[in-house]
Amino acid sequence: MEHETHNHHSENVKKDYTIPASIVIAAIIIVGAMMYKEGLKTGSGTQSANITEGFEAARSALEEAVLPSSGVILPVRWGSLGAKLVDAGAIDAQKFKALYTQQETLPKEYETLLSGNSADNLTITSDNAGHVLNLFWALGLANKNSILDSGEMVNPQYGGAQNFASTGGWTIAKGDAMEHYSKHPFVVLTAEQQALVDKMSRLIYRPCCNNATHFPDCNHGMAMLGFLELMASQGVSEADMYKAALAVNAYWFPDNYLTIAAYMQGKGIEWNKVDAKEILGVNYSSASGYQAIASKVTAPASSQGGSGCGVSAGQPAPTSAVRRQPSCGVN
């Protein structure tokens, strides 16, 4: 499969993670026949009410399975990585805080993750998914790793690693983002851990493009790379790494994974029983794989949601000779 590339384009990384109702219309496939049959017993009015109630119940159950309202506890501790990123200049703390305080107060928990020392496991929720994305993005970009040094990002055909949304889009570092690209040994992996990250990064995709994490040309790809490195460094098992990666992807791309969950449910497989490695693969989680699944469930997902790939501070990034593929839209 040919690689797609994300060039710089302007977009706030603080996204709306609201789930469009159109995506979960697929739930009718699962409960519609049952509710229709029940409604016929008592007349058209009751039939309509039962179908509506059944649809809402199925939608809520599907959302709760894919995007638990209480969040998902991730198998990693952030520790003092935020402070290290700030000290190294990979994150300019003032720019970072300004990104959020223009519109809202930076959560106390996030303040700790940015500049303190957190001994607790990270938890991702619908509310903080953008915050977590930014932290992992900074880590993936700045952490010294051979995937960035010798992988697709530095392939001469793309004109340099600076030409991508994951690098030119990181506008809240001190200095240019490339001054921090694969420069800082925040997470040092053993040979075995590096081999695991390399293998998994080639198998985990994101629905905004057809690239695996090994080619982290957008913010989601770079963030996933950082997350994989962090999990591997803390001894998380391969199976648990896949499960956690799927949970994170779901919060970052809620539309897509609700649709995939409806598809799997239609096949008789509940979300908590899916093979995380399979779902993260090219047949489900790449842009082309997802579209093939979506075509079997309902209309393509709404452009609203967390699937765009863009810059963090909402500032115009430099132009690039690398063309952005239309499959990665701007929300």
Side-chain angles (χ1 to χ4, degrees):
M1 178 179 296
E2 294 184 358
H3 292 303
E4 293 184 354
T5 55
H6 297 68
N7 72 330
H8 310 330
H9 53 286
S10 192
E11 178 198 16
N12 285 333
V13 82
K14 180 176 176 295
K15 301 180 186 304
D16 177 9
Y17 286 88
T18 304
I19 301 159
S22 61
I23 296 306
V24 290
I25 291 176
I28 293 178
I29 298 174
I30 302 164
V31 299
M34 177 183 70
M35 299 310 302
Y36 179 75
K37 181 178 179 180
E38 187 67 24
L40 285 178
K41 295 179 180 179
T42 54
S44 60
T46 302
Q47 170 190 330
S48 177
N50 283 344
I51 290 175
T52 300
E53 290 172 6
F55 167 69
E56 293 296 335
R59 181 178 66 181
S60 296
L62 193 66
E63 290 180 12
E64 188 61 27
V66 179
L67 306 163
S69 54
S70 60
V72 172
I73 299 174
L74 303 177
V76 290
R77 297 170 303 282
W78 185 247
S80 60
L81 277 172
K84 292 177 181 178
L85 286 160
V86 170
D87 288 343
I91 292 177
D92 184 314
Q94 295 308 311
K95 291 180 182 178
F96 208 60
K97 293 175 184 178
L99 174 65
Y100 292 97
T101 55
Q102 288 173 357
Q103 301 178 19
E104 62 182 50
T105 301
L106 191 69
K108 183 177 180 181
E109 172 197 7
Y110 198 50
E111 183 81 47
T112 300
L113 293 176
L114 184 61
S115 57
N117 193 334
S118 175
D120 298 328
N121 280 43
L122 284 173
T123 297
I124 188 170
T125 67
S126 293
D127 290 334
N128 77 357
H131 296 163
V132 173
L133 173 67
N134 281 347
L135 290 175
F136 287 165
W137 181 2
L139 178 62
L141 170 68
N143 192 54
K144 179 70 174 175
N145 195 272
S146 60
I147 292 174
L148 298 184
D149 293 335
S150 58
E152 296 91 336
M153 290 288 288
V154 294
N155 188 324
Q157 80 177 83
Y158 302 127
Q162 73 278 3
N163 286 332
F164 299 104
S166 60
T167 50
W170 186 252
T171 59
I172 51 176
K174 287 187 176 179
D176 188 89
M178 289 305 296
E179 295 175 24
H180 304 283
Y181 178 85
S182 192
K183 288 293 193 300
H184 309 289
F186 297 127
V187 176
V188 179
L189 304 178
T190 66
E192 182 179 3
Q193 291 168 345
Q194 180 63 38
L196 178 60
V197 170
D198 189 275
K199 180 181 76 170
M200 293 183 66
S201 69
R202 296 176 188 272
L203 299 175
I204 295 176
Y205 286 74
R206 65 266 186 187
C208 57
C209 62
N210 277 326
N211 296 337
T213 302
H214 199 269
F215 188 4
D217 63 335
C218 74
N219 53 350
H220 298 94
M222 194 66 83
M224 181 60 73
L225 177 61
F227 185 37
L228 292 179
E229 292 169 354
L230 188 57
M231 287 192 289
S233 74
Q234 296 185 7
V236 181
S237 71
E238 182 175 349
D240 286 343
M241 286 175 69
Y242 278 117
K243 291 178 182 178
L246 179 58
V248 165
N249 250 16
Y251 280 106
W252 289 344
F253 299 93
D255 296 357
N256 304 75
Y257 287 95
L258 282 168
T259 301
I260 293 171
Y263 172 77
M264 298 303 291
Q265 198 171 59
K267 294 176 62 177
I269 303 173
E270 298 298 324
W271 188 246
N272 63 354
K273 301 295 185 182
V274 301
D275 183 331
K277 179 179 178 181
E278 178 184 13
I279 299 300
L280 287 166
V282 66
N283 292 329
Y284 290 87
S285 287
S286 68
S288 57
Y290 168 72
Q291 289 301 327
I293 296 299
S295 68
K296 300 175 183 178
V297 178
T298 185
S302 167
S303 62
Q304 298 178 3
S307 61
C309 304
V311 303
S312 82
Q315 300 172 358
T319 58
S320 167
V322 181
R323 180 174 62 89
R324 178 177 63 82
Q325 298 297 324
S327 60
C328 182
V330 178
N331 289 333

